Amino acid sequence: MTSTTHRPRIAIVGYGSQGRAHALNLRDSGFDVTVGLRPGGPTEIKAKADGFTVKAPADAVKDADLVAVLTPDMVQPQLYGEVIEPNIRDGACLLFAHGFNVHYGQITPREDLDVVLVAPKGPGALVRREYEIGRGVPSVYAVHQDRSGHAEALALTYCAGIGGARQNAIRTTFKEETETDLFGEQAVLCGGATKLVQAGWETLVEAGYQPEVAYYECLHELKLIVDLFYEGGITRMHEFISETAQYGALTRGPYVVDDNTRAQMKKVLAEIQDGTFARQWIAEYAAGNARYKALKQGDLEHPIEAVGRKLRANMKWLANAPTPAKSTPADARSAQQEEAA
């Protein structure tokens, strides 16, 4: 902590994957942490069992120097308007783990507040696990409003408290974090990867190959490649795959990801940048999520899922594998499944 700011009293609003990890890490780093949850909610017992003082969100906010909003994106505007804004003290710091609502104008923070962002690039379970072994998950941070003159120091202090500063935190903006995070999810990590796997599996099965063999080739072995990417980038993948695989990847990969694919990626990015995606998602949520639920159910009922469940039942090592938090992977803002305060 710099000499220009004191060690803040922190209120964590929400206690799902990210909320729990942040709260535990911050407490272990020596911070005074209170958890704000709806009385009688499903996570209140968990937070109390972890030894935290749990208060109603309004009360938790009143006593805090820094309020971390770690509830689902779509409930944050109402939470801010009805609970946080009327109760957060003058000059306090408001912290988000994703810039969606501020960037797209769903939340306009009070003028007297410092407003910052700290976004670990990993799910909550990993944020906690890496902290416990003395490491940290890489994080980005941003400053939206700096009324105190110390907003960046506060963001870095929080980032250090959850372990993110151990990995050279990168300064960004709310705009950059939001737009790149959404693009990564939609075009590559979740939307792109899911559709690529499904299309590959369907292509092999329709050509008469066994669904189980197609599963291994198009989904199961993807982890091997992703692990190599994670450990050392594309360079490491080339070091560990065969020359046959390399030649096939280099010459046939462009068949799949071609100029049309890149044009579609630019369309995805444009709809993020001009607010089209945000408006659609906000309207979908407000209307009850019927289309979202139907599309998700289509993924859950895809035939590859039935094949995978059968094959994974014999993969005994999976029983002991750590379960990642339920989150968007780039964002790891797994607060999306957290309790709405």
Side-chain angles (χ1 to χ4, degrees):
M1 194 69 214
T2 69
S3 60
T4 55
T5 55
H6 68 286
R7 180 167 288 236
R9 294 169 298 175
I10 298 174
I12 301 290
V13 183
Y15 202 70
S17 171
Q18 287 287 340
R20 183 172 186 266
H22 288 213
L24 290 169
N25 290 4
L26 289 162
R27 184 177 65 186
D28 288 352
S29 294
F31 289 88
D32 178 358
V33 179
T34 299
V35 178
L37 295 171
R38 184 179 69 244
T43 51
E44 182 185 27
I45 295 174
K46 182 187 294 185
K48 287 183 174 179
D50 286 336
F52 286 104
T53 297
V54 180
K55 298 181 180 179
D59 294 328
V61 165
K62 288 177 183 177
D63 297 332
D65 301 311
L66 185 152
V67 175
V69 184
L70 300 177
T71 54
D73 289 338
M74 291 298 103
V75 306
Q76 287 182 13
Q78 183 177 1
L79 173 68
Y80 176 78
E82 295 181 0
V83 177
I84 295 176
E85 187 173 60
N87 292 291
I88 190 170
R89 69 167 182 79
D90 290 350
C93 182
L94 185 63
L95 181 144
F96 296 89
H98 182 42
F100 185 97
N101 283 303
V102 172
H103 177 56
Y104 290 117
Q106 299 305 295
I107 293 176
T108 303
R110 259 182 14 212
E111 285 294 319
D112 63 282
L113 302 173
D114 284 343
V115 181
V116 301
L117 176 149
V118 174
K121 297 288 101 179
L126 184 65
V127 171
R128 179 58 178 164
R129 192 160 63 244
E130 288 294 291
Y131 179 93
E132 288 181 303
I133 61 177
R135 300 191 302 230
V137 170
S139 299
V140 298
Y141 72 97
V143 176
H144 178 71
Q145 287 182 182
D146 185 8
R147 297 298 176 250
S148 70
H150 308 308
E152 182 173 14
L154 284 166
L156 285 171
T157 295
Y158 185 98
C159 189
I162 64 172
R166 296 170 177 172
Q167 295 294 333
N168 188 27
I170 297 173
R171 178 158 181 163
T172 183
T173 63
F174 274 60
K175 178 181 187 295
E176 183 177 64
E177 186 278 334
T178 301
E179 293 179 357
T180 57
D181 188 72
L182 293 175
F183 177 81
E185 293 167 356
Q186 295 171 23
V188 181
L189 302 172
C190 303
T194 297
K195 293 307 176 187
L196 183 65
V197 165
Q198 290 173 341
W201 183 86
E202 290 167 0
T203 299
L204 288 177
V205 172
E206 289 169 6
Y209 298 102
Q210 295 180 70
E212 294 81 4
V213 174
Y215 176 89
Y216 284 134
E217 296 302 331
C218 295
L219 190 153
H220 177 80
E221 291 194 25
L222 184 62
K223 181 185 186 306
L224 307 177
I225 303 304
V226 170
D227 284 350
L228 292 173
F229 284 165
Y230 185 82
E231 293 164 6
I234 295 170
T235 299
R236 186 166 177 84
M237 181 202 73
H238 280 299
E239 291 172 355
F240 282 84
I241 65 174
S242 70
E243 290 180 335
T244 302
Q246 290 179 54
Y247 180 75
L250 293 167
T251 60
R252 269 53 176 183
Y255 288 11
V256 179
V257 180
D258 58 8
D259 288 343
N260 180 66
T261 308
R262 283 187 286 273
Q264 293 299 99
M265 285 185 170
K266 289 179 180 178
K267 180 179 179 182
V268 169
L269 181 58
E271 291 185 352
I272 291 168
Q273 291 172 325
D274 67 15
T276 298
F277 169 76
R279 290 190 295 272
Q280 288 178 350
W281 173 220
I282 292 164
E284 173 70 21
Y285 186 87
N289 280 331
R291 181 168 181 263
Y292 156 75
K293 291 175 182 176
L295 291 171
K296 181 178 177 180
Q297 194 61 34
D299 260 5
L300 299 180
E301 294 176 354
H302 191 282
I304 196 173
E305 291 301 287
V307 174
R309 282 191 294 271
K310 182 178 71 173
L311 293 175
R312 290 192 300 271
N314 293 317
M315 299 178 191
K316 303 304 180 185
W317 63 89
L318 293 179
N320 298 319
T323 302
K326 187 179 289 186
S327 75
T328 51
D331 72 38
R333 17 167 201 96
S334 43
Q336 284 209 335
Q337 299 300 324
E338 306 207 5
E339 178 180 358

